[in-house]
Amino acid sequence: MTGRSRLYFSYAVRSLRRGGQRSVLAIFCVAVGVMAVVALRLAGDMVTLSLTSNVREVNGGDISMQSTSLPLAQQDLQPLDQLKQQGRISDWIGLGVSGTATVRKQGGHSVTVPLYVIDDPSRFPLVGSGTLDQPSNTTYGDRLKTGTLVVSTFVADEGALKPGDTAHVTIAGGEGTDVTVGGIARNQRFAGQIAVGYITRATYNAIVPNTPARYGLIEVTTPTPDQVPALADTLRSDFPAATVITVQDALDQNIQASTDTSRFLQIVGLLALLIGGVGIVNTMQVMLSRRRVEIAMLKTTGYRRRDLYGLFAVEAGMIGLAGGVLGTAVGTGLSAGVRVLVERLFNVPITFHVSAGTIATGVLVGLVTSLIFGLLPIVRAAAVRPVVVLRDMGEGATVGSRAQTVGLYLLLIVLFTALSAGLLDSIGLAIASVVGTLIVILLLAGIFAGIITLIGRIPVPERATPLQWAAAAAITALALLVTTVQRAIGVCLIIVAVAYVASVALPRNRRTAVKLALRSLGRARGRTTATLVALFAGVFTIGLILVLGQNITSKIETGISRATTFNVFAIASAQDASRAKQVTQGLQGVQERRITLDTSTTPVQVNQQPLAQVLPAPTPRPTAPPGAPPTAAPAPSGNPERNEVRLGALNGVEGYDLRGGQLPDTTANRGRVLTAADAGTTNVIVRSDLHNGVLHLEVGDTVTLQQAQTGRPVTVTIVGFYSSIARTSTGLVFRAFYRPIVGDVSLINQLGTDQAQTVIGMKLDPQQSHPALTTLENALPDATIINLADFGAIVDQIVSNLVNLLVALASLALFAGIIIIANAVALAMLERRREIGILKAVGHTSTSVLAQVLVENGTIGAIAGITGMLLVTAATALLGVYVLQTDLSVGGPIVAAVAVGVTLLTTITALLVAWAPTRARPLDVLRYE
């Protein structure tokens, strides 16, 4: 280390030691930003690792082929055996699909799940260990036996199931049987679903006897990875109605999902880093401005400007390193909490993992951030003219100084954008994020500067006057009046009215503190504006998330029970049909009932042409160039619309007694609805997505359907298309059809009533739904009971987990704002030491000085809270009208909780920081000022 370097280092160390509290605040500002970046980056890395580390195992093999909507018969799978004989397939296994099934423990809650039927459990799964979570160290082959069931953790939690429990399993159309829960599998997306169950073929045949095997999921392994693309193209050609997914396809999708998640998390972290950077600028400006005499003396002894740059840069670098280390340590621990929130949201296991690269990046980000945001105060401090300082002259702003300031701000923006691009790994996204954030910050700064100016000029007379009491009464009356029209805005006005009335009612000595506090806001307008912007970011984000989460949850709870034509379905086999009709007829709480005859079907022809000829031909996956990485090849486009999902709109017919006047409750958005004149015909209405999907069906087209089990055919004619969701004057209405094709009951007779199910749709009073459902489940143990409220509860849980995650992320920005508050209060106490000493010397007590500080910062918190919730109200209204197209409301309790909460938070923060400085003795302060 050279002599100059030693000087820089020793000077920086001494300056930081002398800075004391100011140095600590600067380190905290760096730490809070680094903490957010490291925590969210580590969480993103964990998501990426979990989604990309075991893709082959999650995919079930090198290739998975899904055809759950149009299950394949045993003879349809002969091409797989031929490919295995040719050596292109190492092994394959087919899993049957059960359709809708319910699992219920005695006295427990019914859970609706898709059941996958495994012929040979000892071979499942083809890849991976197949180890279950419960009992530990067991596999599917160990626990799946005749009369046993394995369910995912999600199903076990919903139904309160554990290994060894006896559960009643019912499959639509079957008699149902008691099975033993053999094991619990970990939550893993299986064929795109979390809530799944597994049974053997023997157990399935006991529930639904005399049913031929039908397979909806095929898992395939190949001798080498190089054979996968060509084999996938072959399978797409042989099975055009299925969705063929290779490991590379799944990896591409997971990489995209993890990249989007990671970037979102890192953008939130960058926001907290930016807010922390504002605190660095403020702190270093104060630190260096208090050393103006020292800087002048250094320059008079021969130090040049570049020497001062070096001295102050080393000091800023030490602050950055200390903040980077502290923030990285805290962020690493915080990432564990973010991981849990993300895991709950997506219902997939995410392994805790700490990357050495991310840890090093956190420390480096702290160093770079401190240097970037310290650049402006360093250049300004180094430009001090000694003569101006030593003669105590004011240094006015010149054209050159203004140009330098503008240039420094632009350089700061460019450097922070470069830092963001390095973290986000995207220059375009970094530029868009920084520029967009900058525009918003400038707009908010202008608004808050105007608000501060107005508040600073509010007259506070020595004594309360009749005019003030009249104004207080008028504001209170206006607030109460507005509350009856717009509750959220009214609550904000009530908070303002309460504050004003309190200030009017204060005794004379306390009103002085209010007056001084309001005037102090205007004196430090720049710092106050920066603090308000930081607080506003957290308040607005948290408020909007809470309001939208509450509205979505409310819409789900009321929408499913009120907007659906029917909210409970009882599906009974032909043997239980009469019993089901009798039980539901006298069921308490039933407001409306509909009985239809339904059967499952598979399409075989469209307009007399085989289905395979009608579906679009698959496009082969391009071959990757030699030496290219696996991700270089683009994703396949053979069946981009997932044909097996689209064709699911043809997998069942719902029969109505049209001759008896029973008409489907729906409207047609193309063609017409069914009438009594369609009785005895093969006319049907189908979902509108069949018109827009891969088949592009039109009114007048014909579709040949086969009964899924017996293969009996019938050709139907499409006379109209309906939408599952319709918008009416009272809001959204969900058309609850159990089967997607709607026709006359005579169609069911042609397809065969021996395999048909009686579906009883009921509109149950939500207040009486629980006892009614219990009665149904006890009286019809072999019927499948579907309660749409269960789906609402699942969605509600997902929304709740999403809200918890987003609030936690937004809290990082709010926490950064609180650090800025603490920083601003501490700096204000240091800057106002002489002022505080004078106030106490002329008779003010420590309490009155502290009250001034609390009123000042409480006002800042109130401004941020009220403006944030007012903007939340406006944003919610706009989102409801133009995006969600429904009415959204902002509740008064949320507005009050957020606005009052942030006010108390800022006041308490100011109290903790200002308590000791306001109790300093005037003599100790004025002696050294």
Side-chain angles (χ1 to χ4, degrees):
M1 182 180 291
T2 64
R4 184 183 297 270
S5 300
R6 285 196 297 270
L7 173 63
Y8 286 175
F9 179 78
S10 61
Y11 176 84
V13 171
R14 285 197 301 268
S15 297
L16 291 176
R17 189 185 302 121
R18 285 182 301 167
Q21 190 181 39
R22 294 185 292 273
S23 301
V24 173
L25 289 173
I27 292 173
F28 274 0
C29 287
V30 176
V32 69
V34 173
M35 173 194 69
V37 170
V38 169
L40 300 181
R41 188 179 181 89
L42 283 174
D45 291 344
M46 294 174 200
V47 172
T48 301
L49 180 66
S50 299
L51 291 179
T52 59
S53 60
N54 60 342
V55 179
R56 186 168 182 260
E57 181 179 345
V58 173
N59 197 48
D62 297 306
I63 299 175
S64 68
M65 189 169 63
Q66 298 180 25
S67 189
T68 52
S69 297
L70 301 173
L72 303 169
Q74 184 69 52
Q75 59 270 21
D76 296 330
L77 303 181
Q78 291 179 358
L80 298 176
D81 291 326
Q82 297 173 1
L83 292 170
K84 185 175 181 179
Q85 293 174 1
Q86 296 170 9
R88 298 181 64 186
I89 289 180
S90 296
D91 199 4
W92 67 272
I93 186 172
L95 278 70
V97 289
S98 66
T100 304
T102 56
V103 179
R104 182 193 180 215
K105 185 170 68 173
Q106 181 66 33
H109 179 63
S110 294
V111 184
T112 303
V113 296
L115 285 179
Y116 288 89
V117 184
I118 303 176
D119 293 336
D120 185 1
S122 63
R123 295 177 55 236
F124 177 78
L126 287 182
V127 296
S129 61
T131 304
L132 301 177
D133 276 1
Q134 301 179 39
S136 58
N137 300 322
T138 58
T139 64
Y140 290 91
D142 297 334
R143 308 302 297 178
L144 267 182
K145 304 172 183 177
T146 302
T148 62
L149 165 76
V150 170
V151 295
S152 64
T153 302
F154 185 89
V155 177
D157 293 341
E158 288 292 310
L161 301 171
K162 60 182 184 298
D165 285 347
T166 298
H168 193 78
V169 176
T170 304
I171 299 175
E175 292 298 316
T177 188
D178 287 335
V179 299
T180 301
V181 178
I184 310 297
R186 69 173 182 170
N187 280 338
Q188 180 174 288
R189 294 198 174 273
F190 191 80
Q193 301 176 91
I194 291 291
V196 293
Y198 309 88
I199 58 175
T200 63
R201 177 67 59 183
T203 303
Y204 177 76
N205 289 336
I207 302 173
V208 187
N210 303 321
T211 301
R214 311 285 288 185
Y215 299 91
L217 181 64
I218 312 297
E219 298 178 345
V220 178
T221 58
T222 59
T224 62
D226 296 338
Q227 295 177 287
V228 171
L231 178 61
D233 292 336
T234 301
L235 294 177
R236 292 187 181 105
S237 299
D238 292 344
F239 303 93
T243 297
V244 177
I245 302 175
T246 65
V247 171
Q248 185 61 51
D249 298 336
L251 182 61
D252 291 341
Q253 295 173 6
N254 289 351
I255 288 175
Q256 184 62 46
S258 63
T259 299
D260 293 342
T261 302
S262 298
R263 284 181 174 174
F264 168 73
L265 295 175
Q266 290 182 44
I267 287 174
V268 176
L270 285 173
L271 176 60
L273 187 65
L274 178 60
I275 296 173
V278 174
I280 297 172
V281 173
N282 290 337
T283 306
M284 292 203 67
Q285 279 183 334
V286 174
M287 291 173 65
L288 296 178
S289 66
R290 293 180 63 84
R291 286 151 54 184
R292 293 175 77 244
V293 175
E294 178 183 326
I295 293 171
M297 295 299 295
L298 288 171
K299 296 186 80 170
T300 57
T301 57
Y303 282 86
R304 289 171 291 184
R305 186 173 295 187
R306 66 169 177 265
D307 295 318
L308 297 178
Y309 289 161
L311 289 172
F312 301 148
V314 171
E315 185 176 343
M318 288 182 175
I319 292 174
L321 284 175
V325 171
L326 177 62
T328 300
V330 177
T332 302
L334 190 62
S335 65
V338 178
R339 176 194 69 86
V340 172
L341 294 174
V342 175
E343 189 175 57
R344 289 178 180 176
L345 175 61
F346 294 107
N347 277 311
V348 292
I350 298 178
T351 304
F352 183 78
H353 173 75
V354 177
S355 168
T358 301
I359 299 297
T361 300
V363 178
L364 182 61
V365 165
L367 173 62
V368 174
T369 302
S370 183
L371 292 175
I372 289 175
F373 286 96
L375 181 64
L376 178 64
I378 287 173
V379 172
R380 281 181 173 178
V384 169
R385 296 170 58 197
V387 66
V388 173
V389 177
L390 297 178
R391 292 182 179 179
D392 200 17
M393 298 167 54
E395 189 167 7
T398 63
V399 175
S401 64
R402 291 192 181 97
Q404 182 190 59
T405 301
V406 172
L408 288 173
Y409 275 119
L410 291 176
L411 180 59
L412 187 151
I413 293 171
V414 171
L415 292 176
F416 188 76
T417 303
L419 175 63
S420 302
L423 292 175
L424 297 175
D425 196 22
S426 172
I427 297 176
L429 182 60
I431 293 175
S433 300
V434 173
V435 172
T437 303
L438 181 62
I439 292 173
V440 173
I441 287 176
L442 291 176
L443 290 174
L444 291 174
I447 294 172
F448 286 132
I451 293 174
I452 292 170
T453 302
L454 291 175
I455 291 178
R457 295 179 179 177
I458 294 177
V460 184
E462 294 293 331
R463 296 179 178 84
T465 63
L467 181 61
Q468 279 190 304
W469 283 112
I475 294 174
T476 304
L478 177 63
L480 294 175
L481 179 62
V482 173
T483 304
T484 60
V485 180
Q486 222 310 327
R487 184 170 300 176
I489 297 177
V491 169
C492 292
L493 290 178
I494 288 176
I495 295 174
V496 174
V498 169
Y500 187 75
V501 170
S503 65
V504 172
L506 286 174
R508 180 179 178 181
N509 59 338
R510 299 306 182 195
R511 291 164 66 84
T512 302
V514 174
K515 180 186 292 188
L516 292 174
L518 297 183
R519 299 302 177 265
S520 297
L521 287 175
R523 286 189 304 168
R525 186 182 308 171
R527 187 181 301 162
T528 304
T529 300
T531 304
L532 280 169
V533 171
L535 281 177
F536 175 87
V539 171
F540 173 77
T541 308
I542 290 176
L544 186 62
I545 292 168
L546 291 176
V547 167
L548 290 180
Q550 185 185 60
N551 275 276
I552 292 173
T553 302
S554 175
K555 294 294 181 184
I556 292 171
E557 292 175 351
T558 59
I560 290 182
S561 62
R562 297 179 182 177
T564 52
T565 50
F566 298 97
N567 52 18
V568 174
F569 291 89
I571 301 125
S573 63
Q575 296 82 355
D576 287 342
S578 59
R579 171 67 176 162
K581 293 177 183 178
Q582 179 182 357
V583 171
T584 57
Q585 185 174 7
L587 191 63
Q588 187 176 5
V590 175
Q591 300 172 343
E592 188 177 351
R593 189 178 68 144
R594 181 190 69 192
I595 301 176
T596 60
L597 202 59
D598 296 48
T599 192
S600 58
T601 58
T602 56
V604 292
Q605 290 182 344
V606 174
N607 292 326
Q608 307 303 318
Q609 294 184 5
L611 188 63
Q613 298 179 12
V614 177
L615 293 173
T619 303
R621 180 189 180 97
T623 304
T631 55
S637 57
N639 40 6
E641 296 184 278
R642 294 178 64 90
N643 293 343
E644 46 94 17
V645 174
R646 291 288 188 176
L647 295 180
L650 294 172
N651 68 354
V653 179
E654 185 160 286
Y656 285 76
D657 183 10
L658 299 179
R659 193 182 306 278
Q662 185 189 32
L663 303 178
D665 179 21
T666 187
T667 57
N669 53 18
R670 183 178 294 270
R672 64 177 179 83
V673 296
L674 296 176
T675 65
D678 294 303
T681 69
T682 58
N683 295 337
V684 297
I685 57 175
V686 296
R687 291 205 315 238
S688 57
D689 54 351
L690 287 173
H691 171 72
N692 303 320
V694 294
L695 296 180
H696 298 289
L697 295 179
E698 299 284 353
V699 174
D701 286 348
T702 62
V703 179
T704 301
L705 306 170
Q706 282 185 346
Q707 208 287 327
Q709 281 75 32
T710 63
R712 296 178 185 173
V714 65
T715 299
V716 299
T717 302
I718 299 173
V719 298
F721 295 86
Y722 69 90
S723 293
S724 300
I725 302 177
R727 185 174 299 279
T728 66
S729 58
T730 59
L732 294 178
V733 174
F734 301 91
R735 308 299 187 188
F737 295 112
Y738 180 66
R739 298 292 185 181
I741 303 175
V742 181
D744 186 58
V745 71
S746 60
L747 285 175
I748 310 299
N749 296 329
Q750 296 180 50
L751 291 167
T753 56
D754 53 335
Q755 294 294 330
Q757 301 102 42
T758 297
V759 178
I760 304 175
M762 290 165 283
K763 180 76 170 182
L764 277 179
D765 182 357
Q767 303 297 328
Q768 302 179 6
S769 61
H770 181 72
L773 288 170
T774 303
T775 301
L776 281 175
E777 291 170 342
N778 293 334
L780 302 170
D782 292 330
T784 300
I785 309 298
I786 299 178
N787 181 16
L788 295 186
D790 292 342
F791 298 100
I794 294 173
V795 177
D796 186 20
Q797 180 181 353
I798 294 173
V799 172
S800 177
N801 290 335
L802 178 61
V803 168
N804 291 337
L805 173 62
L806 294 179
V807 167
L809 298 182
S811 297
L812 294 176
L814 183 61
F815 180 68
I818 295 301
I819 293 296
I820 297 295
I821 283 282
N823 188 356
V825 173
L827 294 178
M829 293 298 98
L830 291 171
E831 289 178 338
R832 299 179 191 173
R833 290 185 47 153
R834 183 179 179 84
E835 177 184 329
I836 293 172
I838 294 173
L839 286 173
K840 298 186 76 171
V842 298
H844 283 268
T845 63
S846 298
T847 303
S848 64
V849 176
L850 181 61
Q852 175 189 337
V853 177
L854 297 184
V855 171
E856 181 180 343
N857 289 277
T859 302
I860 292 174
I863 294 172
I866 291 173
T867 54
M869 293 311 299
L870 286 176
L871 195 57
V872 165
T873 303
T876 302
L878 293 175
L879 286 173
V881 174
Y882 296 106
V883 179
L884 302 177
Q885 297 183 355
T886 185
D887 58 316
L888 299 179
S889 61
V890 181
I894 286 185
V895 174
V898 174
V900 175
V902 73
T903 302
L904 292 176
L905 192 59
T906 54
T907 304
I908 293 172
T909 302
L911 174 64
L912 295 176
V913 176
W915 178 268
T918 55
R919 272 156 174 71
R921 297 170 58 196
L923 184 61
D924 295 336
V925 173
L926 297 176
R927 178 181 296 172
Y928 299 103
E929 287 291 337

